[in-house]
Amino acid sequence: MELFKTGDWNLKTNKIAFQDTNKPVKNKNKNKKNKNKNKSKSNSNLEQKTTKDDSTNNNNDEVKDVERSKSKKEKKITKPTLNLQPAKKLTPLQQKMMAKLSGSRFRWINEQLYTISSKEALNLIKDQPELFDEYHDGFRSQVTSWPENPVDVFTTQIIARCKRPINAPGGLPGLQNSKEIVIADMGCGEAQLALKINQFFSKFNKGKKPFKRYNHKVHSFDLKRVNERITVADIRNVPLPDNSCTIVIFCLSLMGTNFLDFIKEAYRILAPRGELWIAEIKSRFGDGKGDEFVESLKLMGFFHKKTDDENKMFTRFEFFKPPQDIIEERKAKLERRQKFIEVESAKEELERKRHDNAEGNWLLKPCIYKRR
């Protein structure tokens, strides 16, 4: 009995065919190697990628760092040097200290303008134009404490006298031929008088009036041109022809030590029968009343019309320039009374006194504020 059936197997042959188990092992190894290679390749690729990514990331980081540094530098460069933040409000104590500083600054400039000649004052303002603005800022705050502003008084006077015809009694003086009202504001400051007068006449001439409308002109002179109404000039020598004005005004502006030169210039530019209006601080008059001041202006050729000292702060004066016929008549009267020589000697005495000691030291004392 056959235990095993061999089938087609030939057991007698020497050649036995075995399954080649090595080959598949090799293939497995190869596959493993290939897999390992592929893994290594993939790992190397991954490493390369990672290194590339890292490098790119590093490069990107470096670029970002550079860009950040650049942006920081640009920020530093473009950062404004000025502090544009709104200024903090000053405390009451700081406001009080600032007011004291500005007040002391105003007093110093005020003293300078009163104690130097008009020529020196013009040069001072040309060199330091900000002084003019500082002075008028302080002056504006001073005027607020006064019962009234002399500029407003002069403006009211012009408006009131417009109710009468030109050159009539109580009316405004005008040029003989054209009847034009020509005003020269000497030491005008900010030319507020010109502004108000121009506004008044522009409205006045538009209305229906029973008489002829007024032609007017306002010349404003001072040391600095802060607006288009002002002409820069030393008011002892203004760019106007002789006999060209009908009203000359000095509103608290007889400040230089040589202020009588301003009066001479007013006499030159005024037409015959033209008027001189002056407002001055009461404390400036050497005699306390202003009588000596009036007599000095009379010696310079003016006729005295009126003195108004009702205001507590300042006194107003009105003079006029006499025409030639009145001058001749007055001269004849003085000769008949044998006083003409006395008047001439008084004129000479005034000039000698001015030469020895400027009129800004005795006739009108400088307006100097007390030091605190």
Side-chain angles (χ1 to χ4, degrees):
M1 184 175 177
E2 295 179 4
L3 294 174
F4 299 98
K5 289 183 180 180
T6 56
D8 293 34
W9 290 5
N10 189 1
L11 298 174
K12 292 180 178 181
T13 182
N14 294 324
K15 295 178 181 180
I16 299 172
F18 297 97
Q19 186 178 357
D20 192 3
T21 56
N22 293 326
K23 286 183 180 179
V25 171
K26 287 181 181 177
N27 290 332
K28 286 181 181 179
N29 291 331
K30 282 182 182 179
N31 290 330
K32 285 182 181 180
K33 286 180 181 178
N34 290 329
K35 285 180 182 180
N36 291 328
K37 283 181 181 179
N38 291 329
K39 283 182 181 179
S40 63
K41 282 182 181 179
S42 62
N43 288 330
S44 64
N45 290 330
L46 287 171
E47 287 176 359
Q48 287 177 357
K49 284 182 181 180
T50 51
T51 53
K52 283 181 181 179
D53 292 333
D54 292 335
S55 63
T56 51
N57 289 329
N58 290 331
N59 290 330
N60 289 331
D61 291 335
E62 289 176 359
V63 170
K64 286 180 181 178
D65 291 334
V66 171
E67 287 177 354
R68 285 173 187 168
S69 62
K70 282 183 179 179
S71 64
K72 284 181 181 179
K73 286 181 180 178
E74 287 174 358
K75 284 181 182 178
K76 286 181 181 178
I77 292 168
T78 57
K79 187 177 180 180
T81 55
L82 294 174
N83 185 10
L84 300 178
Q85 294 179 353
K88 293 181 180 180
K89 289 184 179 180
L90 297 177
T91 64
L93 178 61
Q94 289 173 330
Q95 290 176 357
K96 191 179 288 186
M97 292 176 69
M98 287 296 293
K100 283 186 178 181
L101 286 172
S102 60
S104 62
R105 181 73 169 168
F106 164 73
R107 289 190 291 274
W108 179 84
I109 300 169
N110 182 76
E111 184 174 342
Q112 295 301 308
L113 295 176
Y114 272 103
T115 55
I116 59 178
S117 68
S118 57
K119 183 179 179 180
E120 292 170 325
L122 181 61
N123 292 331
L124 176 66
I125 299 302
K126 281 182 177 179
D127 294 337
Q128 302 179 65
E130 68 277 3
L131 296 181
F132 189 89
D133 301 323
E134 291 181 43
Y135 172 78
H136 282 284
D137 287 341
F139 179 77
R140 209 179 298 114
S141 64
Q142 291 283 329
V143 171
T144 56
S145 62
W146 294 358
E148 58 183 348
N149 189 337
V151 172
D152 297 332
V153 176
F154 287 139
T155 304
T156 303
Q157 185 176 352
I158 292 170
I159 293 171
R161 291 177 65 175
C162 279
K163 296 177 181 178
R164 294 178 176 270
I166 296 172
N167 293 329
L172 290 171
L175 297 175
Q176 289 298 319
N177 297 327
S178 63
K179 292 189 177 180
E180 183 181 23
I181 302 164
V182 184
I183 302 171
D185 187 2
M186 311 284 267
C188 63
E190 296 171 318
Q192 288 298 308
L193 186 135
L195 177 63
K196 293 178 180 180
I197 294 302
N198 291 337
Q199 289 174 346
F200 164 72
F201 277 116
S202 64
K203 292 180 181 179
F204 182 85
N205 290 332
K206 288 178 182 177
K208 293 181 180 180
K209 303 294 176 184
F211 43 84
K212 188 177 179 181
R213 297 176 183 178
Y214 289 150
N215 295 321
H216 84 287
K217 188 181 293 181
V218 182
H219 300 284
S220 302
F221 300 102
D222 215 317
L223 302 174
K224 182 182 175 182
R225 192 173 191 263
V226 296
N227 55 57
E228 70 281 355
R229 299 185 295 273
I230 300 173
T231 302
V232 175
D234 179 352
I235 55 175
R236 68 172 182 166
N237 184 20
V238 296
L240 291 176
D242 296 351
N243 307 321
S244 60
C245 297
T246 59
I247 301 173
V248 173
I249 297 175
F250 291 96
C251 185
L252 310 180
S253 57
L254 297 175
M255 297 180 71
T257 55
N258 59 324
F259 68 84
L260 285 181
D261 290 337
F262 311 162
I263 304 299
K264 289 181 179 179
E265 183 68 354
Y267 190 91
R268 180 187 72 81
I269 64 175
L270 271 174
R273 300 185 187 276
E275 298 183 8
L276 172 64
W277 299 356
I278 298 173
E280 263 308 329
I281 302 295
K282 285 187 173 182
S283 59
R284 292 195 65 196
F285 298 111
D287 61 353
K289 295 181 179 180
D291 294 339
E292 188 180 9
F293 177 74
V294 171
E295 291 301 319
S296 297
L297 267 66
K298 287 168 68 175
L299 290 174
M300 302 183 79
F302 283 101
F303 278 24
H304 179 232
K305 283 181 65 178
K306 180 182 176 182
T307 297
D308 182 359
D309 59 354
E310 292 181 0
N311 190 281
K312 293 180 181 180
M313 297 295 299
F314 56 85
T315 303
R316 290 191 304 112
F317 303 92
E318 289 184 24
F319 300 85
F320 77 95
K321 178 180 177 178
Q324 191 60 35
D325 57 342
I326 294 180
I327 293 173
E328 295 297 330
E329 183 181 346
R330 181 173 180 271
K331 183 178 177 181
K333 285 182 180 180
L334 291 172
E335 285 177 346
R336 284 196 298 270
R337 295 177 184 175
Q338 297 181 350
K339 289 186 177 181
F340 180 71
I341 296 174
E342 293 178 8
V343 171
E344 292 300 311
S345 61
K347 289 181 182 178
E348 293 174 358
E349 181 64 25
L350 177 62
E351 290 300 323
R352 278 197 299 270
K353 196 172 181 180
R354 288 185 64 204
H355 183 269
D356 296 337
N357 188 11
E359 60 270 21
N361 296 326
W362 51 273
L363 187 56
L364 283 182
K365 297 182 293 185
C367 186
I368 298 175
Y369 293 88
K370 292 180 181 179
R371 287 173 174 79
R372 296 174 184 175

